[in-house]
Amino acid sequence: NAGVTQTPKFQVLKTGQSMTLQCAQDMNHNSMYWYRQDPGMGLRLIYYSASEGTTDKGEVPNGYNVSRLNKREFSLRLESAAPSQTSVYFCASSRRDGYNSPLHFGNGTRLTVT
Amino acid sequence: AQTVTQSQPEMSVQEAETVTLSCTYDTSESDYYLFWYKQPPSRQMILVIRQEAYKQQNATENRFSVNFQKAAKSFSLKISDSQLGDAAMYFCAYRRDHDGGSQGNLIFGKGTKLSVKP
């Protein structure tokens, strides 16, 4: 099983450039999430989607937009990249009806903004 | 707001020995879930163990076990018979018992880097 697939794995951008991080899951999960991981900060929630058609801001949403394209796919867009957005980005998914269902993570995207 | 604190940025253990990683959390809720995730150098996030707050019995998964102290809001991870492959970053995480909808996200601690010495 593929689980959660993120693309690309690595990306280098120049300040001001835009890009979209793609995420897809094949576990029929309702909820999907985008986190960023910075050294010494743990993982912080950027945006989440409780179900198809809904999205909500997390802890650090500024500078990002998301699209829940369908039940499988949840993309994260940087409209004008800044060096502060250099980070490792993780997509995750979980069942909605299982309250204790853990999050399943993709393998991450390492983004560098110069 | 809920917070999760891991007070040990780094820990070290000898192979075959036992190590305990600490985690405390702050919440006003009575029902919630706690998790430990492992992140090896490959960057993959791997679920190690989980605990439901309404269960008094501590969760166990092979060499991994937790000491859940609800009143103290403490959730430590014990790794027995440590192996070289256990070397990784370990994250403690909290999830509220939401009634469906938009509150199912995990809140993470900042992590503990575990080294295993041969």
Side-chain angles (χ1 to χ4, degrees), chain A residues 35 37 48 100-101 103 108, chain B residues 37 39 43 50 52 95 102:
Chain A
Y35 284 87
Q37 182 180 21
Y48 58 95
N100 69 344
S101 62
L103 269 61
Chain B
Y37 279 85
Q39 186 181 43
R43 207 168 66 200
R50 56 180 152 170
E52 293 94 333
R95 188 179 199 185
S102 58

Side-chain angles (χ1 to χ4, degrees), chain A residues 4 6 23-24 32-35 74 89-93 104-106 108:
Chain A
V4 179
Q6 284 183 241
C23 176
M32 298 186 73
Y33 312 84
W34 276 105
Y35 284 87
F74 188 40
Y89 292 85
F90 286 95
C91 178
S93 71
H104 297 260
F105 287 85

Side-chain angles (χ1 to χ4, degrees), chain A residues 42-56:
Chain A
L43 280 79
R44 293 180 293 169
L45 184 67
I46 305 171
Y47 269 94
Y48 58 95
S49 172
S51 61
E52 185 178 354
T54 68
T55 60
D56 288 285

Side-chain angles (χ1 to χ4, degrees), chain A residues 9 13-15 19 37 53 55 69 83-84 86 89-90 93 96 102 114:
Chain A
K9 293 184 179 179
L13 292 177
K14 294 183 178 180
T15 298
M19 79 160 295
Q37 182 180 21
T55 60
L69 305 171
S84 61
T86 293
Y89 292 85
F90 286 95
S93 71
R96 179 180 173 182
T114 61

Side-chain angles (χ1 to χ4, degrees), chain B residues 52-71:
Chain B
E52 293 94 333
Y54 60 85
K55 288 187 177 179
Q56 293 186 336
Q57 185 174 7
N58 289 325
T60 299
E61 289 286 344
N62 301 314
R63 297 183 295 107
F64 298 88
S65 61
V66 298
N67 183 6
F68 174 50
Q69 302 289 329
K70 190 173 184 180

Side-chain angles (χ1 to χ4, degrees), chain A residues 59-114:
Chain A
E59 181 184 355
V60 288
N62 291 345
Y64 306 95
N65 285 301
V66 291
S67 295
R68 184 73 183 267
L69 305 171
N70 47 54
K71 191 172 186 179
R72 291 186 64 250
E73 299 173 287
F74 188 40
S75 62
L76 178 72
R77 182 161 178 84
L78 287 70
E79 291 290 353
S80 179
S84 61
Q85 295 178 305
T86 293
S87 187
V88 178
Y89 292 85
F90 286 95
C91 178
S93 71
S94 69
R95 293 178 317 189
R96 179 180 173 182
D97 55 348
Y99 297 156
N100 69 344
S101 62
L103 269 61
H104 297 260
F105 287 85
N107 288 334
T109 296
R110 181 175 292 279
L111 174 66
T112 301
V113 183
T114 61

